[in-house]
Amino acid sequence: MNHAKTLKVFSTLAVRAPFDRGVLAGYEHESDLSFEWSPTTIIEKKLSEGLHADVVIATDDAIAGMVRQGLIKPENCFKLATAYFGVAVPKGQTPPDIATKQGFLAALVQARSVAYSLGGASGIYLQKIMAEQGVLALVEPKATKIAQGFTGEKLLTGEADLAVQQMSELMTVEGITIVAGFPDELQHLTPFTIAVMNDCTDWARAQSFIHYLLTEPCRAAYASNGLMCR
C-alpha cells in the first residue's frame, strides 16, 4: 500500500454508524482513506504487533496508553465523541422494560441468549456488572459471544434474542429494534479520541481529516447516530 497516497485509519466500531451514513460525503479526500474497523482491544493488539496506522480512533484510555508507549504525542489527540450502552431485540419482538436496574437484569436472565462482544468495551462492561449483580452465572452459559463485530447481527440470524453493545453500534444494524439505553444507575459512558500516530506518513492530510471530523456538520451526524458530541 502506498501510504503517501492513502491515509490508514484504525477505528473503533463504536463510531462506524455515522461514517457508514455519509459523514465523509463533504470530505474532498474521502477516496484516499483506508479504514480498518475493530474493537479498541483489537486496535491495541494490531499496534503492539507493529502494524501501521496513520490515524487512530479509540477509547480515551487506550489513546492514553499509546501516549505512554510513545506512539502518539498528547498534542496530537483530539476529543471526538462519547458512546453509551444500549439494548436491542429482533424486529417484531416485544421489547422488555429495562428502565430500572431490576428490569434490565430480569431481561438478561429471561433472554434465550444475550449477544455481546468479548473484544469491545460493551461486552467487558456487561460481564463486570453481571458479576457484580449476581446474574453472570445465569446469563453467560447461554450467551452468544463474539470476538468482534456487531452483536445486533446475531438477532438477525436468530442466534440471540437480546443484543448489548454501544448504542451507535446497534444502530448500524438494519432490521432490529433498539429498546433503550442501560438504566441510568448501570449506564457507563465511553469517550473516544482521534489521534495522529507519530509515524504518520502524511501529516498534512491527517490534520485536514481530523479538522473535518470536528466540524459542526460531522458533530450533528454523530449525535443522530447514537453518539454524544464532546
Side-chain angles (χ1 to χ4, degrees):
M1 180 179 291
N2 186 341
H3 293 299
K5 292 184 178 179
T6 303
L7 201 68
K8 186 73 170 286
V9 183
F10 283 178
S11 178
T12 172
L13 288 163
V15 301
R16 184 164 182 173
F19 284 84
D20 281 353
R21 294 172 181 170
V23 79
L24 292 176
Y27 183 62
E28 61 180 333
H29 300 296
E30 179 179 2
S31 62
D32 297 328
L33 297 170
S34 173
F35 282 86
E36 287 191 16
W37 300 97
S38 310
T40 290
T41 54
I42 303 299
I43 292 173
E44 292 174 304
K45 184 173 184 292
K46 288 178 179 179
L47 294 175
S48 70
E49 293 172 348
L51 297 183
H52 170 80
D54 296 297
V55 174
V56 170
I57 303 174
T59 63
D60 281 11
D61 287 346
I63 295 293
M66 295 172 203
V67 170
R68 289 192 295 272
Q69 294 168 44
L71 300 176
I72 297 170
K73 291 184 173 63
E75 60 267 27
N76 295 324
C77 301
F78 304 88
K79 296 177 180 179
L80 187 65
T82 298
Y84 57 101
F85 300 131
V87 173
V89 296
K91 191 172 183 179
Q93 179 175 306
T94 301
D97 182 356
I98 60 169
T100 63
K101 179 175 74 173
Q102 291 74 20
F104 175 78
L105 296 174
L108 295 176
V109 171
Q110 293 166 11
R112 174 174 53 84
S113 181
V114 179
Y116 56 87
S117 171
L118 296 174
S122 56
I124 295 170
Y125 178 68
L126 179 65
Q127 288 181 306
K128 175 178 178 290
I129 62 173
M130 287 195 299
E132 291 174 349
Q133 299 298 324
V135 300
L136 182 63
L138 299 174
V139 178
E140 190 170 41
K142 56 181 181 176
T144 300
K145 306 171 207 173
I146 62 175
Q148 58 180 305
F150 298 113
T151 61
E153 293 176 348
K154 298 304 179 181
L155 302 178
L156 300 177
T157 62
E159 295 171 74
D161 57 347
L162 197 75
V164 170
Q165 206 158 30
Q166 303 284 10
M167 188 68 80
S168 56
E169 292 174 285
L170 294 173
M171 291 177 70
T172 302
V173 182
E174 301 290 340
I176 64 175
T177 298
I178 307 295
V179 179
F182 283 20
D184 290 345
E185 55 193 310
L186 294 178
Q187 185 59 266
H188 180 75
L189 303 181
T190 307
F192 293 93
T193 288
I194 184 167
V196 184
M197 303 295 292
N198 288 347
D199 62 350
C200 175
T201 55
D202 193 335
W203 276 79
R205 183 159 296 174
Q207 290 169 335
S208 171
F209 174 55
I210 290 176
H211 176 75
Y212 173 81
L213 292 182
L214 299 178
T215 61
E216 285 306 314
C218 289
R219 289 169 59 83
Y222 306 147
S224 64
N225 283 281
L227 295 163
M228 294 183 290
C229 298
R230 302 183 66 185

